[in-house]
Amino acid sequence: MSDISPLVKRSLVDQALDQLRLRITRGVWTVGQRLPTEPELSAELGISRNTVREAMRVLAFSGLIEIRQGDGSYLRAVIDPLDTMKALSQCTHEQARETRHILEVEAIGLAALRRTDEDLVALREALGVSGSHYHGDLDSYIACDLVFHRRLVDAAHNPTLSELYRYFSSIVGAQLRQSLNIFPRRQEVFDLHIELLDAVEQRDPERAKALSRQLINEP
């Protein structure tokens, strides 16, 4: 019996999550609104308060609600980030490339206009580490390359762009891994990163964007 109970309990929590997410997507609650209490939701859904509590914790973990101790639960968002990640993971190679053009190229153009001296120090450091791994282990290089690109986007000083790119960077990494498993790493491709950083340092957004497009289009 002890082996079965957790599965039953998990199923009840899943059912509660389905019902709560349905209310959120249908607009029953608005962002910023205080949600019904656990006893109220328990009565409405016909499930125990413990099940409601577990379901609410899952929603809080995913960023949909905020639980304020002693005050209640409030709706933070109507789109589940986990659904976003699921959609991203299912995109095609070409869709990922198009999205990267829209997001990364424009962000790097802004970075060339807005970067600070502190940004340049961080970018040089990241590019140096990336360069030391370029001809080594593939996964290590990809991890370092993503740090460099994230710092480029961060240099745009737009928190929304940075957050979007953090969601998307896992897809960028997968795209890069797929390409580099087929095509050999060429020094001239890495040198484009050096030129890109130079364009950002020289506050030349058009050159930075052109180099970013060239990098994205490289196999």
Side-chain angles (χ1 to χ4, degrees), residues 105 107-116 119-120 123-124 127 148 152 155 190-215:
V105 172
I108 287 173
L110 291 174
L113 296 172
R114 299 174 180 174
R115 60 82 179 156
T116 65
D119 291 327
L120 289 177
L123 283 164
R124 290 190 194 103
L127 188 58
F148 174 70
L152 277 171
F190 183 80
D191 290 344
L192 288 173
H193 291 76
I194 299 172
E195 293 181 47
L196 177 56
L197 178 52
D198 180 69
V200 170
E201 182 172 1
Q202 299 303 319
R203 299 190 187 279
D204 188 340
E206 293 309 316
R207 180 167 165 249
K209 289 163 68 172
L211 287 164
S212 181
R213 291 189 195 98
Q214 191 175 344
L215 267 174

Side-chain angles (χ1 to χ4, degrees), residues 21-33:
R21 286 191 172 113
L22 189 61
R23 284 159 174 75
I24 291 171
T25 56
R26 286 182 174 176
V28 173
W29 303 312
T30 57
V31 173
Q33 180 180 343

Side-chain angles (χ1 to χ4, degrees), residues 125-198:
E125 177 190 29
L127 188 58
V129 174
S130 179
S132 68
H133 287 85
Y134 187 61
H135 295 291
D137 177 69
L138 179 58
D139 285 338
S140 296
Y141 167 67
I142 290 173
C144 295
D145 185 57
L146 288 178
V147 171
F148 174 70
H149 284 271
R150 286 184 196 128
R151 289 184 182 178
L152 277 171
V153 174
D154 287 345
H157 294 278
N158 182 322
T160 302
L161 277 175
S162 291
E163 193 64 25
L164 283 171
Y165 193 74
R166 273 167 175 71
Y167 272 117
F168 188 64
S169 61
S170 62
I171 308 303
V172 175
Q175 181 189 43
L176 190 57
R177 183 175 291 102
Q178 182 181 353
S179 295
L180 294 179
N181 273 324
I182 300 172
F183 301 98
R185 279 170 266 183
R186 294 177 289 121
Q187 184 62 41
E188 56 265 34
V189 174
F190 183 80
D191 290 344
L192 288 173
H193 291 76
I194 299 172
E195 293 181 47
L196 177 56
L197 178 52
D198 180 69

Side-chain angles (χ1 to χ4, degrees), residues 1 16 22 41 48 53 57 62 64 84 92 94 106 112 127 134 136 139 145 149 168 170 181 186 219:
M1 180 65 69
L22 189 61
L41 288 171
S48 72
R53 186 175 298 115
R57 285 173 178 165
S62 67
L64 283 173
T84 302
T92 66
E94 187 55 35
E106 293 305 317
L127 188 58
Y134 187 61
D139 285 338
D145 185 57
H149 284 271
F168 188 64
S170 62
N181 273 324
R186 294 177 289 121

